[in-house]
Amino acid sequence: AQSVTQLDSQVPVFEEAPVELRCNYSSSVSVYLFWYVQYPNQGLQLLLKYLSGSTLVESINGFEAEFNKSQTSFHLRKPSVHISDTAEYFCAVSFQGGKLIFGQGTELSVKP
Amino acid sequence: DTAVSQTPKYLVTQMGNDKSIKCEQNLGHDTMYWYKQDSKKFLKIMFSYNNKELIINETVPNRFSPKSPDKAHLNLHINSLELGDSAVYFCASESVGGRNTQYFGPGTRLTVL
């Protein structure tokens, strides 16, 4: 069965520090990979996605994620976080389209 | 203009009641979804419709009945509400082919008392 595991439920960091949110998936077929962000009391917004091609994908607000097929990972990174990055982050997979299977979420808390 | 909208945003009701949540998308997408986010923030697919036809039903109790009057709308009707139905319900839409992003609505927070 396909599954997604986010290894950290909470990640506290100080402002301007680097951060990595870890995501591993389990699948025997090709997948599409996504990171979504949920700000407090809001819906989910797409942060970035990997469908094919370059394994390093970037978002417009400084996040990046690298698809590693051999390690079945899609970790999210940012070299310097801001207070405004405080949110819940969800890794998700879809199997060539269709329903998304989500990880458990990682709460990123950025402190001044 | 809001791409995916849901009404109401908050819904508080008594156990045993019947309620509906509405979802509309103005993106021209063919596929729409309902997801449930529980109190631990875990998100799980409930239903998927493609061009008004049900394509995914993830073993949801039959008290939940989605209805798609046209491909821009996917409503969720819940009969005989139970305490465990309290959650945030998200609607999402996706273009045909499934390679593209799912766009989520703002969510409806349902509280069953």
Side-chain angles (χ1 to χ4, degrees), chain A residues 11 14 31 36 42 45 47 51 53 60 67 71 76 84 87 89 91 95-96 98 102:
Chain A
V11 174
F14 287 106
V31 298
Y36 281 85
Q42 294 188 28
Q45 302 173 31
L47 196 56
L51 302 181
I60 57 173
F67 169 55
Q71 296 184 3
L76 181 70
S84 59
Y89 291 78
C91 181
F95 301 95
Q96 301 188 344
F102 286 90

Side-chain angles (χ1 to χ4, degrees), chain B residues 26-39:
Chain B
N26 62 6
L27 298 166
H29 290 167
D30 295 292
T31 305
M32 296 183 72
Y33 302 83
W34 278 109
Y35 290 86
K36 179 180 180 180
Q37 185 175 44
D38 63 23
S39 59

Side-chain angles (χ1 to χ4, degrees), chain A residues 3-43:
Chain A
S3 64
V4 179
T5 302
Q6 291 182 241
L7 297 161
D8 307 294
S9 59
Q10 293 180 320
V11 174
V13 294
F14 287 106
E15 195 173 19
E16 297 184 6
V19 71
E20 178 180 78
L21 307 184
R22 297 178 292 169
C23 173
N24 287 88
Y25 68 92
S26 171
S27 172
S28 57
V29 298
S30 297
V31 298
Y32 299 153
L33 294 153
F34 305 83
W35 276 99
Y36 281 85
V37 58
Q38 184 178 27
Y39 297 104
N41 298 313
Q42 294 188 28

Side-chain angles (χ1 to χ4, degrees), chain B:
Chain B
D1 286 341
T2 303
V4 182
S5 59
Q6 294 179 229
T7 53
K9 187 169 176 63
Y10 299 97
L11 184 52
V12 181
T13 188
Q14 298 288 330
M15 214 164 43
N17 285 350
D18 303 338
K19 290 293 179 185
S20 292
I21 305 171
K22 295 185 177 181
C23 178
E24 176 181 2
Q25 54 96 2
N26 62 6
L27 298 166
H29 290 167
D30 295 292
T31 305
M32 296 183 72
Y33 302 83
W34 278 109
Y35 290 86
K36 179 180 180 180
Q37 185 175 44
D38 63 23
S39 59
K40 295 183 179 179
K41 297 192 176 179
F42 184 65
L43 280 151
K44 189 174 180 186
I45 181 80
M46 298 176 70
F47 298 103
S48 172
Y49 268 71
N50 182 272
N51 205 13
K52 302 194 296 177
E53 289 189 21
L54 178 67
I55 55 174
I56 295 175
N57 181 340
E58 288 285 313
T59 61
V60 178
N62 58 15
R63 298 183 295 103
F64 291 78
S65 53
K67 286 186 171 54
S68 182
D70 55 62
K71 73 175 191 178
H73 295 84
L74 180 61
N75 303 323
L76 184 64
H77 188 75
I78 315 170
N79 290 326
S80 303
L81 279 155
E82 300 177 356
L83 294 177
D85 297 332
S86 295
V88 181
Y89 293 85
F90 288 100
C91 176
S93 75
E94 181 183 39
S95 64
V96 69
R99 280 178 54 87
N100 290 344
T101 307
Q102 289 188 23
Y103 292 86
F104 283 77
T108 296
R109 182 176 294 277
L110 171 64
T111 303
V112 182
L113 303 174

